[in-house]
Amino acid sequence: MNIEVMIADYLNNQHADDVGFLLNNYAEDPMGGGAPLSDFIKQNLAVELSKIPHAFSVICYVDGKPAGLINCFEAFSTFKCKPLINIHDIVVVKEYRGLGISQSMLAKVEERAKEKGCCKITLEVLEGNEVARNSYMKFGFDGYELNPEMGKALFWQKMI
């Protein structure tokens, strides 16, 4: 079994197709909402990401087949006055789970974060996604808090 982990080239047609395929795989999973992405999103995601200078994706292939994806965005920590990487999406195709792919992809994200002088990597995870939570804890992630008396940070959204 040959496992390759790399930074995706959004302008490479194969990578672009695979970014859309893999994100759709995540969207269709109950942890991703359980509904497929539109054809427009699948076909245009990589092109739109290529227009964002602070976006990058890590893609994984197993024996040449798309198996995993992490979409990331560079941001900034005001408290540290340094850049950070926010992981927006992580997916490992079901048939490739248990092979350590998430750990390998996270290592590639961390490598990139260190190259850029980042102070941290952030992500959000659903409370009920025990498999993902365990994977992230294994890699060294933990809940975010500034003061234990104030509790852990919550991730909220407002749709517009």
Side-chain angles (χ1 to χ4, degrees), residues 31 125-133:
M31 295 303 163
V125 60
L126 295 174
E127 286 177 299
N129 194 343
E130 284 296 320
V131 172
R133 289 175 59 183

Side-chain angles (χ1 to χ4, degrees), residues 5-158:
V5 176
M6 65 195 76
I7 302 295
D9 176 355
Y10 295 135
L11 302 179
N12 173 300
N13 289 336
Q14 188 64 58
H15 286 193
D17 289 346
D18 294 340
V19 165
F21 166 78
L22 288 162
L23 191 65
N24 185 66
N25 185 278
Y26 175 45
E28 289 179 336
D29 187 274
M31 295 303 163
L37 299 175
S38 70
D39 288 340
F40 175 83
I41 293 171
K42 290 185 282 187
Q43 294 166 4
N44 290 283
L45 180 60
V47 170
E48 293 304 314
L49 286 169
S50 75
K51 296 175 185 177
I52 303 170
H54 58 276
F56 71 94
S57 299
V58 173
I59 197 163
C60 176
Y61 291 94
V62 174
D63 294 333
K65 295 178 183 163
L69 176 72
I70 299 181
N71 291 319
C72 302
F73 297 90
E74 294 175 35
F76 191 79
S77 170
T78 54
F79 279 27
K80 297 287 185 181
C81 197
K82 289 187 173 188
L84 64 86
I85 299 293
N86 176 257
I87 295 174
H88 191 67
D89 309 296
I90 299 181
V91 60
V92 175
V93 175
K94 193 172 191 170
E95 66 190 87
Y96 300 112
R97 293 177 187 166
L99 301 176
I101 289 172
S102 67
Q103 299 298 296
S104 296
M105 291 191 305
L106 287 167
K108 182 62 90 173
V109 171
E110 183 173 32
E111 177 184 307
R112 181 83 177 250
K114 287 178 178 177
E115 289 170 1
K116 296 194 165 282
C118 294
C119 62
K120 66 181 174 179
I121 302 167
T122 63
L123 56 76
E124 60 270 1
V125 60
L126 295 174
E127 286 177 299
N129 194 343
E130 284 296 320
V131 172
R133 289 175 59 183
N134 289 335
S135 174
Y136 305 152
M137 285 188 288
K138 179 179 179 181
F139 196 77
F141 284 94
D142 194 9
Y144 173 76
E145 63 185 15
L146 293 173
N147 178 339
E149 292 178 12
M150 296 304 298
K152 301 245 188 233
L154 302 175
F155 183 76
W156 290 16
Q157 71 176 4
K158 177 184 177 186

